[in-house]
Each structure stands twice: as C-alpha cells, then as structure tokens.
Amino acid sequence: MKSSSLLATAKLPGFMSFLAVAFINAMVDLGHKILIQNTIFKVYDDAAQVALTAVINSLILLPFILLFTPAGFLSDRFAKPRIMRYTAFSAIIITLLITLAYYQGWFLFAFAMTLVLAAQSAIYSPAKYGYIRELAGNDKLSPANGFMQATTIIAILSGIFVFTILFELTLAGQVYNNESQLIEHIAVIGWLLVLLSCIEFLLACRLPASATEQASTRFNWQGYLRGWTLQENWRRIRHNPVIWYAILGLSMFWGISQTFLATFPAFAKIALAEDNTIIIQGLLACSGVGIIIGSFIAGSSSQGHIKTVLIPFGAIGMCCVLFVLPHLSTTVSFAFAIMGFGLFGGLFIIPLNALIQLHAPIAQIGTILAGNNWVQNLVMISFLIITFLAASAAIASKTMIHAIPIITVILALLLVWRSNKARRA
C-alpha cells in the first residue's frame, strides 16, 4: 500500500470524520463493557467471575445474531449517514441511562444496558462498513478498509487502557462491599461515555450526504420471522466447501478466544495474586497487539497470493501456546504467551478471510460475508454458554484453562478431517 494512496484516501471529503465516528463508537461500546467487567473482577472470584464474564460477553454478541438481517435491510433502505446519525443520537440516551445507573448503584440495570448498547452497535455496523465504499469508491477501497481496521484495533486498545486506568484511579482508597457500592464510586466515568457519544453525534452530522436510499424497498418480515431469509443465506454459505470450512475455521478461532477471554482473568487473579485490573486488561490487550503483527505478516504477500500454508502453521502455533500458558507464573511470561497466541491467530485468520472473499461470487459476497459474521457470532455465543455452564458447575478457572487447548486440538482435527472428506467427495 503506497503512501500516496494512503494520503489521498485520508484527504477524501468526510473520511477523517467517518474514522472518528467509528473510533468513538468502538470506544464507547468497549468502555461500558470494561467498567462492568472490571467490577465483576473486583467483586467475584473464580467460577462466579468466569460465569458473569461469559454472560456480559454474550450480551454483546447476541444482538449481532438477532439483528443482522434487519440491520442489513436498514443499511440498504436508508442513507447510511442517516443511520449513523440516528444510532449516534441513541448512544447519547443510552449512555445517560448508564450513567444514571452508576450513580444510583443499579448494577443489574447497568449490566442489562450492555445488551441495549450492543443492539445500537449491531444496527450501526453494516451502515458503517457499507459507507466505506461510498466514500472511497472502488479505487481506494483497500486503503480505506486498512484505515478502518487500524482505527478499530486502536480504539479497542485505547478503550481498554483509558477506562481501566480511570476505573482504578476513581476506586483508589474507596470501600465497597458489593458491586452496587462499587459502581457508585466509579460513576463519574459515565460522563466520559456521554461526552464521547455527544462528540460522535456531532461528527456523524458532518458526514457527506448519501443518495443510496431505496424508498420502494420493504422488509420481508414474514420471511425473517419464519426463517426463510436465514435458510436462503445458509444455503449460499454452505454451497462452496472452501467458503464453508473457512467460516468454520474462523468461528473456531473466535469461539476459543471468547472462552479464553472469559476464563483468563479469574485464572490470572489466582496465579499472579493480582487484583489490579490494569495489569489483567493489559495482558488481554497483548492478544490484540499479536493479531496486528500476525495480520501484517500474513497480509504481506506479493501479487495478491494467499498464503494458505500459514493456516495450519497458525493453528499449530495457537495450540502450542495454549498448552504452555497454564504452566506460566509471571506477568511477563503471560504477556509474551498471549501476544504469541494473537500472532499465530493473525496468521490463521487472514488467509481464511481472504479465501472467503476470493471464492464468494461477486453478486453474493455481501450475503456470504454477513452469513460469515452470523455463524461466527453464533459459535462464540455457544462457547460462552458452555463456559457459563462449566462455571455454574463450580469448575475452577484453572481446570478450564487446561481444557481449552485439548478442546482446540480436537476441534481442529475434526475440522481437517471433515474438510478433507468434503474435498474427496
């Protein structure tokens, strides 16, 4: 990607405002989740902590499963900047309610508002990605997507550290006996969520107008509610074995990752005797850094060649890291191991994503990519449900951490066996 192309893309009318909207939206979504997750970390231990963390992660994913069809319809039916303005305005109302819940000590209400905030993001997401092409055109689509990916990762890493540091600073020296008392002490952070949402709305109002509304289009509620739309999309993603098994591979990676993210904080809290959320969230953030490095390596091929050899290499690397990780006992070793998991994960997922885009018919690529996201979210929810059930059965986090690599190997071997069988057929 040449620097001149990057500069030209950055200078597109409204593009920097668009990136700022995407950055703030991701940071607000993550900020509330981090505050709730850190509260759980402080108040609960081991199995209970794992169970509640699995629930909070499930609440974030659930709207993307339930709303992906209507959200896609809204993105096609109405101008995308209009959708982004409405969702940005709704974020102001939602963050005000969240801040009120913090001040009143309504932990369960604040917990449930994670679902509402995620629903807002689920409706916003397809409009955001669809608007990239309208702003950049076909000739600048690749660098524009690069900007968007970098922006999202930076927003996630920034949100983790900013809100965790503020959480620890506002909680320093405070006394609390339960989660309700704790969120009262950190309530002032809620105003940062509100402020960011207001800035997001103002920036969304500056986005260039779009003329892509389809006034005659009507949503097929009957097809949606009866599952006809889902069946059609399902047939499309199952039609090509390369696409289907690439989707399953990606889903396996993100499912395992969700279980690890839900389990590791409780395990590290015991293994490191560490109660500082900055350290724990910092360790988890190392996976994001690793994914960036792995993605860069996997994407640095010449002439568009897809490095499929990296898929088994990445899978083996991830399994090795997961087997080693439970036996570590220092913060530095955990950091390198988690970064290694992210690096091998990047080597694994980038070629799989490229295979899906390469083999998807042009006329169906939107549906197939939406179906890919739907399957991934469904698998992640399933893994989190299993994690929740295991924690509810009082299975220790250490036992779960030891079980993750074994499950990963079994699923990987099963996936290889099925894909080879399908290829021979």
Side-chain angles (χ1 to χ4, degrees):
M1 196 181 298
K2 297 180 180 179
S3 58
S4 58
S5 177
L6 289 173
L7 186 61
T9 304
K11 289 183 176 179
L12 290 170
F15 188 69
M16 296 310 295
S17 293
F18 170 64
L19 289 181
V21 170
F23 179 91
I24 295 173
N25 184 270
M27 201 165 180
V28 169
D29 284 354
L30 187 72
H32 174 60
K33 176 206 167 186
I34 288 295
L35 294 177
I36 295 296
Q37 192 169 299
N38 286 346
T39 300
I40 293 170
F41 179 85
K42 290 287 189 180
V43 176
Y44 296 93
D45 293 309
D46 209 26
Q49 182 187 332
V50 172
L52 289 171
T53 304
V55 172
I56 198 73
N57 288 339
S58 298
L59 291 180
I60 293 170
L61 296 173
L62 191 60
F64 286 88
I65 295 173
L66 300 178
L67 298 177
F68 90 98
T69 299
F73 167 79
L74 289 173
S75 177
D76 292 334
R77 168 65 176 81
F78 298 101
K80 293 168 182 62
R82 185 178 175 186
I83 296 293
M84 286 186 278
R85 280 193 288 271
Y86 277 117
T87 53
F89 181 76
S90 68
I92 298 175
I93 299 173
I94 294 170
T95 52
L96 282 170
L97 290 172
I98 288 172
T99 303
L100 174 64
Y102 290 167
Y103 275 102
Q104 297 299 318
W106 298 338
F107 178 75
L108 290 180
F109 181 80
F111 194 95
M113 287 302 291
T114 307
L115 180 67
V116 181
L117 197 59
Q120 174 264 348
S121 185
I123 295 172
Y124 159 84
S125 183
K128 173 184 69 175
Y129 284 104
Y131 192 53
I132 294 176
R133 188 169 186 173
E134 294 183 15
L135 277 178
N138 291 335
D139 57 331
K140 295 183 177 66
L141 191 57
S142 180
N145 273 288
F147 271 117
M148 176 55 66
Q149 183 178 13
T151 298
T152 302
I153 293 174
I154 293 170
I156 291 172
L157 296 178
S158 300
I160 288 174
F161 285 109
V162 168
F163 283 95
T164 300
I165 290 171
L166 290 175
F167 178 87
E168 288 290 346
L169 288 175
T170 53
L171 202 60
Q174 302 290 348
V175 178
Y176 54 89
N177 295 316
N178 52 52
E179 61 271 52
S180 296
Q181 293 177 4
L182 190 154
I183 62 170
E184 290 181 34
H185 294 312
I186 57 104
V188 67
I189 307 177
W191 292 113
L192 177 58
L193 295 173
V194 176
L195 175 62
L196 289 172
S197 298
C198 290
I199 296 173
E200 178 188 352
F201 175 69
L202 293 174
L203 290 170
C205 291
R206 297 179 56 184
L207 296 176
S210 172
T212 58
E213 293 201 14
Q214 301 179 32
S216 60
T217 306
R218 295 289 182 270
F219 184 68
N220 185 0
W221 281 106
Q222 188 177 31
Y224 172 63
L225 294 174
R226 295 191 177 185
W228 297 340
T229 307
L230 178 61
Q231 290 176 23
E232 177 62 26
N233 292 341
W234 182 259
R235 280 193 294 268
R236 288 177 178 176
I237 63 177
R238 288 295 306 269
H239 178 70
N240 188 316
V242 175
I243 292 175
W244 174 237
Y245 285 104
I247 289 174
L248 289 182
L250 289 168
S251 301
M252 182 191 75
F253 169 76
W254 291 115
I256 291 294
S257 296
Q258 284 295 322
T259 299
F260 178 78
L261 290 174
T263 309
F264 178 77
F267 170 73
K269 186 177 183 179
I270 298 171
L272 297 175
E274 181 61 69
D275 196 40
N276 190 322
T277 57
I278 297 175
I279 301 296
I280 302 301
Q281 295 295 350
L283 288 173
L284 293 177
C286 289
S287 64
V289 176
I291 289 176
I292 294 173
I293 298 171
S295 299
F296 176 78
I297 295 172
S300 62
S301 58
S302 60
Q303 300 179 347
H305 177 66
I306 299 174
K307 298 179 179 177
T308 53
V309 69
L310 293 179
I311 298 173
F313 180 73
I316 293 170
M318 285 189 294
C319 290
C320 290
V321 171
L322 289 174
F323 271 110
V324 170
L325 193 140
H327 304 286
L328 304 178
S329 59
T330 66
T331 303
V332 174
S333 60
F334 275 130
F336 278 107
I338 294 172
M339 187 180 297
F341 177 78
L343 188 151
F344 287 116
L347 297 179
F348 181 75
I349 64 176
I350 294 301
L352 289 176
N353 276 317
L355 284 173
I356 293 172
Q357 294 172 353
L358 178 66
H359 289 272
I362 295 297
Q364 298 177 7
I365 190 168
T367 300
I368 288 174
L369 291 177
N372 174 34
N373 292 332
W374 184 81
V375 173
Q376 288 182 37
N377 284 312
L378 192 63
V379 171
M380 285 190 282
I381 284 281
S382 301
F383 271 75
L384 287 171
I385 290 173
I386 294 171
T387 304
F388 173 80
L389 293 175
S392 299
I395 296 176
S397 58
K398 184 177 182 179
T399 303
M400 294 189 207
I401 286 289
H402 278 280
I404 288 175
I406 299 172
I407 295 171
T408 303
V409 169
I410 293 172
L411 290 175
L413 292 175
L414 182 62
L415 185 61
V416 170
W417 174 69
R418 289 293 300 172
S419 61
N420 288 336
K421 186 177 179 180
R423 199 175 294 118
R424 288 194 297 269

